[in-house]
Amino acid sequence: MILPPLSRLEGALPTTTTPVVRRLAVASLVAQIGIVVTGGAVRLTASGLGCPEWPRCTADSIVTTPEMGLNGVIEFGNRLLTFVLVIIAVAMIVSVLGMRRERKDLFRLSIGIFLGIPVQAVIGGISVWQDLNPWIVGLHFIVSMVLVSLATVLVDRSRLTTEQYAAARRIPAATPLLRQLLVTSTVLTSITVVLGVMVTGSGPHAGDHGAARNGLDPDLITRLHALPVYLLVATVALAVVVAYRTQVARPLRRAVVLLAAVVLVQGVIGYTQHFLHLPVVLVALHMLGASVLVAAAVHAQYLGTTRRTLPGAPSVSVRVPQTVG
């Protein structure tokens, strides 16, 4: 009997994670961070209303028109990148379709990222309809950080083979203290990002010269934004010390050091842009840094708290004790 086309396609799909699956997972993460950067370019060039309508660019045209000028090109170009995200997300779903029962984690993460793309598009459209209301624009950024987080976990999970994923659960790679520090760092990162969004909403880079601001005092909200940053620096510094003074897997130790490096660089950029009165280039780098910081924090927490085998870690590990009764 000739199999239906869909069945033949499914039969040809990977049944375990392959280099293609892992590359698509990385592409998902890079694309989610990339659209944050291009979205920042839209805001920093005052092109947020370069296409004043949504989903059309203008009332009469789907694409940008010469009358829209460079701002229209920048805004429309950012909208087109949504289709790149969709293509990558669909390819990711297809790549794990053949293992959707054995690797429900990969399939669900892929679906979640795919569904987040139209949600982001709608929020972006509402922000245009509301003339770049800073709270809606801020929500747009926060949802992007959620998608970056999902894509980061997808990358980490894609490194596990089906056999490794199905293996008996083990004690987490990090000690209890290090796990608490990593969870705390993720919480502080989240608070820092939310307050950073509020700082941006009170500042000069509104996305359009006529867009409203959120009405918060820029100096006060900036000081509030700095508080969790100080706590984050202290928490991550302590995490580095603990990671080197205890027996932890090398991949986890590298992840903690990477997180510390990102926190340091992001902090330097943040303070420099503040004292230089928010130059466009540094603000753009700070937005990129926020995305990388979220990814680094989630990556370190995942490696420290997962009960799965860490790629690159020693093969011998202790199993979780089983209770009797």
Side-chain angles (χ1 to χ4, degrees):
M1 182 179 68
I2 299 177
L3 293 174
L6 184 59
S7 299
R8 290 202 302 271
L9 172 62
E10 186 172 349
L13 294 174
T15 56
T16 188
T17 52
T18 64
V20 171
V21 173
R22 292 190 287 272
R23 287 167 189 155
L24 284 171
V26 172
S28 298
L29 176 58
V30 172
Q32 292 296 339
I33 293 176
I35 202 163
V36 171
V37 175
T38 60
V42 170
R43 171 181 287 188
L44 296 172
T45 57
S47 302
L49 295 178
C51 284
E53 301 291 338
W54 188 87
R56 291 174 173 267
C57 185
T58 69
D60 303 315
S61 176
I62 296 177
V63 300
T64 184
T65 63
E67 291 77 16
M68 299 293 100
L70 181 59
N71 287 346
V73 172
I74 294 173
E75 164 62 5
F76 185 70
N78 185 61
R79 292 186 184 189
L80 286 180
L81 286 179
T82 300
F83 295 99
V84 176
L85 266 66
V86 170
I87 291 171
I88 295 173
V90 170
M92 186 71 225
I93 292 172
V94 172
S95 73
V96 299
L97 196 60
M99 60 182 100
R100 64 185 181 278
R101 295 181 181 85
E102 297 81 7
R103 296 301 307 269
K104 292 179 180 178
D105 59 326
L106 295 180
F107 186 69
R108 290 169 178 171
L109 285 167
S110 301
I111 293 294
I113 293 171
F114 173 77
L115 294 178
I117 296 171
V119 170
Q120 274 290 69
V122 170
I123 295 174
I126 293 174
S127 70
V128 172
W129 291 343
Q130 296 298 315
D131 297 322
L132 304 183
N133 180 296
W135 298 106
I136 299 175
V137 173
L139 176 63
H140 200 39
F141 185 84
I142 290 172
V143 174
S144 284
M145 295 301 98
V146 173
L147 292 175
V148 167
S149 300
L150 292 177
T152 301
V153 177
L154 180 63
V155 170
D156 284 324
R157 287 297 183 104
S158 69
R159 298 179 66 196
L160 292 174
T161 65
T162 301
E163 292 74 19
Q164 289 173 324
Y165 178 78
R169 293 191 173 193
R170 293 166 169 79
I171 292 174
T175 62
L177 175 58
L178 184 53
R179 291 202 301 273
Q180 292 170 0
L181 290 171
L182 293 176
V183 171
T184 301
S185 68
T186 303
V187 172
L188 289 172
T189 296
S190 302
I191 295 172
T192 299
V193 168
V194 171
L195 289 175
V197 167
M198 296 169 69
V199 171
T200 302
S202 68
H205 301 296
D208 185 81
H209 298 300
R213 302 285 70 209
N214 59 22
L216 299 175
D217 182 271
D219 185 62
L220 176 60
I221 194 64
T222 298
R223 293 177 184 275
L224 290 176
H225 173 55
L227 290 178
V229 174
Y230 295 139
L231 295 175
L232 178 61
V233 170
T235 300
V236 173
L238 182 57
V240 172
V241 173
V242 173
Y244 273 90
R245 293 179 65 89
T246 56
Q247 294 293 326
V248 299
R250 186 176 299 176
L252 173 58
R253 187 172 292 162
R254 287 199 300 262
V256 175
V257 172
L258 174 64
L259 174 59
V262 174
V263 169
L264 178 62
V265 172
Q266 180 71 337
V268 169
I269 294 173
Y271 270 98
T272 304
Q273 71 164 5
H274 174 71
F275 289 112
L276 293 180
H277 306 293
L278 304 176
V280 168
V281 173
L282 288 182
V283 174
L285 287 175
H286 202 50
M287 292 182 68
L288 171 61
S291 303
V292 176
L293 174 60
V294 168
V298 171
H299 174 61
Q301 181 185 331
Y302 171 82
L303 293 189
T305 58
T306 182
R307 294 179 182 273
R308 306 292 180 183
T309 302
L310 294 186
S315 57
V316 178
S317 58
V318 182
R319 294 177 183 273
V320 176
Q322 301 293 321
T323 57
V324 179

